[in-house]
């Protein structure tokens, strides 16, 4: 049985693995070891998540703490895939760092870890909806890291071209996942709440976020040379995503009106 | 501005113009009411949109101006306005049912239709498949969802046990007669095991403040820890009645309607060693709730039991006199005579012993079109996912 009390024993070694892996990425001939350590960290983290799923007897996706768990897992995973396919040596450090921030939030601010799941959430759509969304958030988080790197780093035409092309790839993947997550949500909502779209605050912000990423994709296609503007659009879109993900829980307009606010 | 070829400026101006027109209409005509667009008005609106789109498309061969409507600049500016308005809606200012949003949205549909038709002029399977699936799918889903909402009926029906009901209330609380009837045979709730929590004796707030914790009592007897207290659950009665004596109350097994749940607990403070014991019950409409006072500040309580699953056993009748038995539960609606019947609620004051069940009945004749659009978008998303690697070569080609 795994529960939240065991979280530090899995999360801290996993985080350590990710940082060691990120360190090897900067070394010559460190490619394989970087992959090994990042993957090892992911395995450790995955064991905890599977254990938690079993002990809760439901998918660990209801509370914010539980969704942060998925985010902490998918972010280094997205970083690893990017690293393997593109060999950007800096990507692993950023994904490890961002992921560890979310691990720390779970370590220092544990929320109620309630086993119960309301009937509307007991659906085969629940797991795919949340997993695909968390994958999207993680990939788009990685895209944002690349965009910030482009905005802050030294301007060089060749490397900038490479970085923005990485942004494109990550945004395509992230937006594809986000589209699937949103549409799965719509299909589920039809079965559970009677309608596929009801401008629930979370849905409204999801629509805004989705539109923002569409703007980025269209802008890149039509104005490929305006890289900094594109990077700014990407950062702005990610801010909208934050409101959609957890910001709505704090918006007075969403209080008591959203089917997406659980917990208390 | 307005010098050919058009660019972003013209896009921003058109959208601003539509928004201002919408605001003016809001003043003179009032709120835009989707419900006021049932068949055949919505079909007419759809036809008008199609005619305008086809005209724009046909004229774009001859005149450069019309080609602009299928440009990225037109798409980006229209999307930006939709984004802006949904953010305002998200901040709590109702925007979606305004004329401004409706006009900008209709304009976005026009641009989308122009884009799709332009791409379909000389289609190449490999190059255009993903593009057409995502754009045409989005167009279909948006058109069907927005125009279809005029024909959407959502009604709420409350049915008492052993009675049949064929009337339901709409959003304006008017009773509507239906071509079907529902008879409630029985209503069942499965509950999660009881929970225990601490509350502040003075304020009634759940503890610890801000992030209350609760424990689920899955076994009995058991010992658990709740904040600074060690709690031993000695007895658990899933169906109980409270019995009053001269100076105290206790609980006893009660296996009939109206029973509540109760448990007997012994609590000991981990550091001070202060202890107390007694019954704790969540109570219901028949029996009062009971808490266990642990100290001057804290009490142990059992919050109302949470439903795990609730379901209605029903018999549905059609107007032709046919009937059929079925079970309706959350996430498992029943399809009957073109309606979808959802388990919505029950008499929450009676909880487990509710004698009524509340259903939502939904009829949405445009749903197949929306689903077709959604399906196309899902295929489009797969193409988008796959194109993430192609895009590298695309950029390399651009560089050369």
């Amino acid at each position: 049985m795994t529960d939240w009390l065991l979280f530090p024993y899995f999360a801290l070694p996993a985080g350590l693995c990710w940082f060691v892996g990120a360190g090897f990425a900067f070394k010559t001939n460190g490619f394989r070891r970087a992959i090994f350590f990042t993957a090892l960290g992911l395995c450790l983290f995955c064991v905890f998540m599977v254990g938690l799923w079993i002990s809760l007897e439901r998918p660990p996706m209801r509370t914010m703490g539980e969704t942060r768990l998925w985010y902490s897992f998918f972010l280094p995973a997205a970083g690893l895939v990017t690293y393997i396919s593109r060999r950007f040596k800096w990507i692993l450090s950023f994904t490890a760092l961002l992921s560890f921030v979310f691990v720390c939030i779970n370590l220092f601010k544990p929320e109620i870890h309630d086993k119960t799941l309301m009937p509307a959430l007991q659906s085969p759509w629940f797991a795919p909806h949340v997993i695909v969304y968390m994958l999207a958030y993680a990939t788009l988080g990685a895209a944002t890291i690349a965009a910030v790197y482009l905005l802050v780093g030294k301007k060089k035409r060749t490397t900038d071209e490479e970085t923005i092309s990485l942004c494109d790839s990550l945004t395509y993947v992230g937006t594809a996942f986000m589209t699937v997550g949103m549409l799965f949500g719509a299909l589920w909502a039809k079965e559970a709440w009677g309608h596929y779209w009801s401008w629930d605050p979370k849905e409204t912000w999801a629509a805004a976020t989705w539109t923002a990423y569409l703007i980025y994709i269209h802008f890149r296609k039509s104005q490929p040379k305006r890289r900094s503007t594109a990077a700014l659009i990407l950062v702005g879109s990610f801010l909208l995503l934050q409101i959609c993900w957890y910001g709505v829980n704090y918006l007075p307009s969403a209080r008591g009106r959203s089917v997406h606010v659980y917990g208390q | 501005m307005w010098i050919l070829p058009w660019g972003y400026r013209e896009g921003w101006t058109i959208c601003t113009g539509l928004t201002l027109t919408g605001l003016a209409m809001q003043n003179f005509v009032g709120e835009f009411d989707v419900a006021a667009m049932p068949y055949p008005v919505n079909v007419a609106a759809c036809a008008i949109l199609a005619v305008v789109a086809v005209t724009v498309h046909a004229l774009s061969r001859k005149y450069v101006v019309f080609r602009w409507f299928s440009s990225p600049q037109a798409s980006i500016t229209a999307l930006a306005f939709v984004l802006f308005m949904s953010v305002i809606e998200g901040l709590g200012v109702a925007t979606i049912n305004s004329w401004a949003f409706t006009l900008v949205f209709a304009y976005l549909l026009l641009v989308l239709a122009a884009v799709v038709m332009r791409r379909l002029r000389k289609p190449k399977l490999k190059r255009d498949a993903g593009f057409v699936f995502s754009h045409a799918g989005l167009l279909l889903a948006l058109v069907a969802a927005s125009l279809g909402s005029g024909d959407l009926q959502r009604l709420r029906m409350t049915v008492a046990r052993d009675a049949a009901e064929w009337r339901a209330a709409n959003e304006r609380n008017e009773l509507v007669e239906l071509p079907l009837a529902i008879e409630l045979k029985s209503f069942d709730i499965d509950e999660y095991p009881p929970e225990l929590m601490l509350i502040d004796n003075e304020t009634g707030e759940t503890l610890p403040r801000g992030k209350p914790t609760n424990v689920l009592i899955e076994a009995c007897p058991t010992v658990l820890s709740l904040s600074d207290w060690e709690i031993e659950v000695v007895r658990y009665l899933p169906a109980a009645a409270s019995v009053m004596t001269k100076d105290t109350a206790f609980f006893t097994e009660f296996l009939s309607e109206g029973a509540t749940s109760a448990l007997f607990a012994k609590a000991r403070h981990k550091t001070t060693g202060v202890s107390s014991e007694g019954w704790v019950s969540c109570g219901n409409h028949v029996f009062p709730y009971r808490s266990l006072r642990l100290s001057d500040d804290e009490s142990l309580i059992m919050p109302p039991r949470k439903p795990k699953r609730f379901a209605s056993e029903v018999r549905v009748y059609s107007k032709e006199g046919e009937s059929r038995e079925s079970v309706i539960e959350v996430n498992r609606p029943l399809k009957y005579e073109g309606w979808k019947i959802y388990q919505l609620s029950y008499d929450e004051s009676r909880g487990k012993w509710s004698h009524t069940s509340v259903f939502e009945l939904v009829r949405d004749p445009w749903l197949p079109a929306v689903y077709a659009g959604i399906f196309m978008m899902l295929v489009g998303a797969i193409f988008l996912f796959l194109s993430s690697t192609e895009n590298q070569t695309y950029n390399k080609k651009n560089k050369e």
Side-chain angles (χ1 to χ4, degrees):
Chain A
M1 172 158 155
T2 329
D3 66 24
W4 281 100
L5 293 175
L6 296 178
F7 183 59
Y9 303 104
F10 285 91
L12 293 175
L16 187 68
C17 284
W18 292 333
F19 283 118
V20 170
F24 274 118
F26 284 100
K27 290 206 162 167
T28 38
N29 299 327
F31 184 64
R32 276 158 188 273
R33 271 170 288 178
I35 294 173
F36 172 77
F37 278 104
T38 309
L40 184 69
L42 286 171
C43 287
L44 266 175
F45 211 81
C46 187
V47 169
F48 175 77
M49 285 166 66
V50 171
L52 188 67
W53 190 320
I54 294 169
S55 87
L56 285 175
E57 295 164 27
R58 64 166 176 82
M61 295 169 189
R62 199 191 97 169
T63 64
M64 286 309 282
E66 288 162 12
T67 53
R68 276 199 289 267
L69 208 56
W70 289 87
Y71 194 76
S72 317
F73 175 77
F74 283 135
L75 204 56
L80 185 63
V81 173
T82 314
Y83 178 65
I84 293 172
S85 62
R86 296 288 183 97
R87 312 264 169 135
F88 286 108
K89 54 188 178 197
W90 47 270
I91 189 85
L92 284 180
S93 338
F94 284 102
T95 52
L97 187 70
L98 194 55
S99 167
F100 198 68
V101 168
F102 282 90
V103 167
C104 288
I105 298 176
N106 269 355
L107 282 173
F108 299 121
K109 195 178 163 288
E111 288 164 34
I112 49 154
H113 300 304
D114 187 335
K115 216 169 161 177
T116 59
L117 196 59
M118 55 191 280
L121 292 188
Q122 295 165 22
S123 159
W125 290 107
F126 182 36
H129 174 63
V130 179
I131 289 178
V132 170
Y133 251 116
M134 284 301 133
L135 259 171
Y137 289 1
T139 320
L140 295 169
T144 312
I145 291 169
V148 171
Y149 184 81
L150 186 136
L151 287 170
V152 179
K154 278 183 202 152
K155 298 270 174 284
K156 260 192 228 154
R157 204 182 156 273
T158 45
T159 51
D160 277 6
E161 192 63 50
E162 241 172 61
T163 315
I164 198 77
S165 137
L166 172 70
C167 288
D168 287 348
S169 295
L170 289 171
T171 307
Y172 282 16
V173 173
T175 309
F177 280 134
M178 190 186 258
T179 309
V180 172
M182 185 172 71
L183 297 177
F184 277 9
L187 295 173
W188 174 17
K190 181 71 199 169
E191 288 308 297
W193 289 277
H195 201 41
Y196 43 82
W197 194 271
S198 33
W199 293 106
D200 172 288
K202 189 103 168 181
E203 291 171 7
T204 306
W205 286 101
T209 310
W210 191 67
T211 312
Y213 282 104
L214 293 190
I215 291 175
Y216 171 83
I217 291 175
H218 286 81
F219 185 77
R220 282 289 298 147
K221 291 272 185 199
S222 71
Q223 244 81 30
K225 295 223 173 86
R226 288 172 64 185
R227 289 186 287 267
S228 303
T229 316
L232 279 174
I233 297 177
L234 209 50
V235 173
S237 308
F238 197 64
L239 292 178
L240 284 174
L241 194 155
Q242 305 309 306
I243 302 179
C244 175
W245 182 10
Y246 51 81
V248 279
N249 296 0
Y250 304 101
L251 278 181
S253 59
R255 284 272 163 80
R257 222 158 60 78
S258 175
V259 298
H260 287 91
V261 178
Y262 309 115
Q264 294 114 59
Chain B
M1 207 161 39
W2 309 117
I3 300 162
L4 294 170
W6 288 7
Y8 284 106
R9 272 202 196 161
E10 286 78 6
W12 298 125
T13 316
I14 290 173
C15 289
T16 312
L18 288 171
T19 309
L20 293 176
T21 315
L23 291 175
M25 283 172 84
Q26 194 88 6
N27 261 330
F28 298 119
V29 189
E31 190 94 327
F32 177 77
D33 187 9
V34 198
M37 285 230 312
Y39 178 84
V41 185
N42 49 10
V43 176
C46 188
I48 293 172
L49 187 74
V51 168
V52 175
V54 169
T55 313
V56 167
H57 177 68
L59 290 173
S60 69
R61 296 192 144 191
K62 237 178 152 184
Y63 303 99
V64 188
V65 177
F66 291 99
R67 218 167 292 160
W68 179 84
F69 287 95
S70 54
S71 70
Q73 285 86 348
S75 307
I76 289 169
T77 45
L79 282 171
F81 263 73
V82 168
L83 167 65
F84 174 65
M85 288 183 185
S86 29
V87 166
I88 294 178
E89 166 82 23
L91 291 172
V93 185
T95 320
I96 299 305
N97 287 330
S98 70
W99 276 102
F101 183 79
T102 308
L103 291 180
V104 170
F105 185 76
Y107 168 69
L108 178 76
L109 293 181
L110 174 70
V111 169
L112 194 52
V115 165
V116 173
M117 282 191 282
R118 183 179 185 176
R119 194 50 85 101
L120 283 175
R121 190 176 279 167
K122 281 184 206 147
K124 276 187 190 151
L125 187 66
K126 203 171 166 234
R127 186 195 64 189
D128 297 329
F131 184 96
V132 170
F133 269 114
S134 27
H135 288 77
L138 179 63
L139 178 64
L140 181 59
L142 290 182
V143 168
S146 54
L147 293 176
S149 55
D151 288 331
L152 177 75
Q153 275 180 282
R154 296 184 78 167
L155 309 169
R156 182 186 279 250
M157 182 191 270
T158 308
V159 189
R161 199 169 64 193
D162 298 325
E165 182 60 82
W166 65 96
R167 292 156 307 170
N170 64 14
E171 279 127 8
R172 290 178 295 279
N173 253 333
E174 302 155 347
L175 279 185
V176 180
E177 288 197 11
L178 292 165
L180 61 91
I182 304 176
E183 180 189 348
L184 183 63
K185 295 266 183 192
S186 70
F187 176 75
D188 275 313
I189 299 186
D190 292 343
E191 289 170 325
Y192 278 107
E195 290 168 309
L196 288 177
M197 290 181 105
L198 295 174
I199 57 161
D200 185 303
N201 285 345
E202 293 245 317
T203 61
E205 265 183 292
T206 47
L207 299 172
R209 253 174 221 94
K211 45 174 182 180
T213 29
N214 49 5
V215 283
L216 206 61
I217 314 300
E218 289 179 284
C220 177
T222 178
V223 179
L224 359 101
S225 125
L226 190 56
S227 293
D228 298 329
W229 296 87
E230 187 186 87
I231 291 159
E232 186 189 347
V233 179
V234 184
R235 243 188 117 190
Y236 167 48
L237 299 174
S242 77
V243 179
M244 296 291 188
T245 61
K246 217 197 275 169
D247 45 3
T248 181
F250 67 92
F251 285 82
T252 180
E253 190 154 46
F254 180 65
L255 296 169
S256 74
E257 174 151 347
T260 184
S261 4
L263 53 80
F264 190 84
K266 290 180 180 170
R268 200 179 68 86
H269 196 274
K270 283 176 195 161
T271 46
T272 62
V274 174
S275 68
S276 64
E277 58 174 62
W279 286 96
V280 182
S281 167
C282 56
N284 62 11
H285 62 289
V286 179
F287 298 107
Y289 104 102
R290 188 170 171 85
S291 62
L292 173 61
R293 200 180 166 90
L294 301 177
S295 66
D296 288 344
D297 312 318
E298 293 161 290
S299 283
L300 186 68
I301 61 148
M302 184 194 292
R305 300 277 299 271
K306 286 184 186 156
K308 190 176 194 170
R309 169 183 172 268
F310 49 99
S312 303
E313 208 181 303
V314 296
R315 178 174 275 279
V316 281
Y317 299 88
S318 74
K319 221 173 183 175
E320 288 73 42
E322 285 162 29
S323 76
R324 138 169 165 224
E325 281 199 12
S326 182
V327 175
I328 303 174
E329 63 178 291
V330 180
N331 267 315
R332 297 221 172 88
L334 170 69
K335 250 180 151 173
Y336 194 68
E337 298 279 300
W339 289 81
K340 268 195 169 190
I341 307 168
Y342 296 82
Q343 177 71 61
L344 188 68
S345 181
Y346 51 92
D347 181 353
E348 281 175 29
S349 64
R350 285 169 166 270
K352 196 175 167 171
W353 305 109
S354 171
H355 286 187
T356 55
S357 184
V358 185
F359 300 103
E360 183 173 44
L361 289 89
V362 183
R363 213 177 94 86
D364 186 2
W366 295 61
L367 187 65
V370 177
Y371 275 5
I374 287 181
F375 174 75
M376 287 167 74
M377 285 171 78
L378 285 173
V379 176
I382 296 172
F383 275 98
L384 181 66
F385 178 83
L386 295 175
S387 74
S388 66
T389 47
E390 285 164 27
N391 144 62
Q392 253 176 306
T393 43
Y394 162 86
N395 275 335
K396 266 177 203 150
K397 261 185 225 159
N398 258 16
K399 250 188 259 174
E400 289 157 15

